[in-house]
Amino acid sequence: MGSRVGTIHVSQRRFALLCILAYVVLAWAARFDMRLGQQIASLVYPLDTFSMYGGMPGEDRSHLLVRDAEGEVYRISDFRAYRCLEPLTGSDVRCAGRLGIPYHYEELIHYIETHQGQGELAVELITRTWDFPPGERVRTADCVVAHCTVAR
């Protein structure tokens, strides 16, 4: 009976080691799962790397917005149809260094892509960047990502 107990412990250790190795292989296979960039991102728990917490807070204080010809700024969801001339994703996207929080940008681009249509109002998709010195908020720059037509 003593040898049987020793065999069980060895089998359990082997199984545990196999599970750990399988987890590591799956985690490495799931490293590049976000469609908008080459970054370590989230797939499913427990392989989740929690990409929303991946960057240091305050590195990029930009947000995707819509600006009309008069300079008025709107949220992306203020329009029901978009047709854009330039690419909004991939390596050719303008303002690549100032797109803000990656998962926010991806959600807004998804909204635009799922609301394709004809528009009559010419606008620019911009990323607006802010700086937050102590006690104040200062807009520092706008960068034009794409020229689009939109409809309300």
Side-chain angles (χ1 to χ4, degrees), residues 14-27:
R14 285 182 185 156
F15 180 72
L17 183 60
L18 182 63
C19 288
I20 291 170
L21 289 174
Y23 176 81
V24 169
V25 168
L26 282 173

Side-chain angles (χ1 to χ4, degrees), residues 76-99:
I76 298 296
S77 60
D78 287 344
F79 300 95
R80 65 175 169 77
Y82 283 84
R83 178 163 306 246
C84 297
L85 303 176
E86 293 89 1
L88 303 177
T89 61
S91 60
D92 294 337
V93 67
R94 289 187 191 166
C95 312
R98 296 191 317 182
L99 299 178

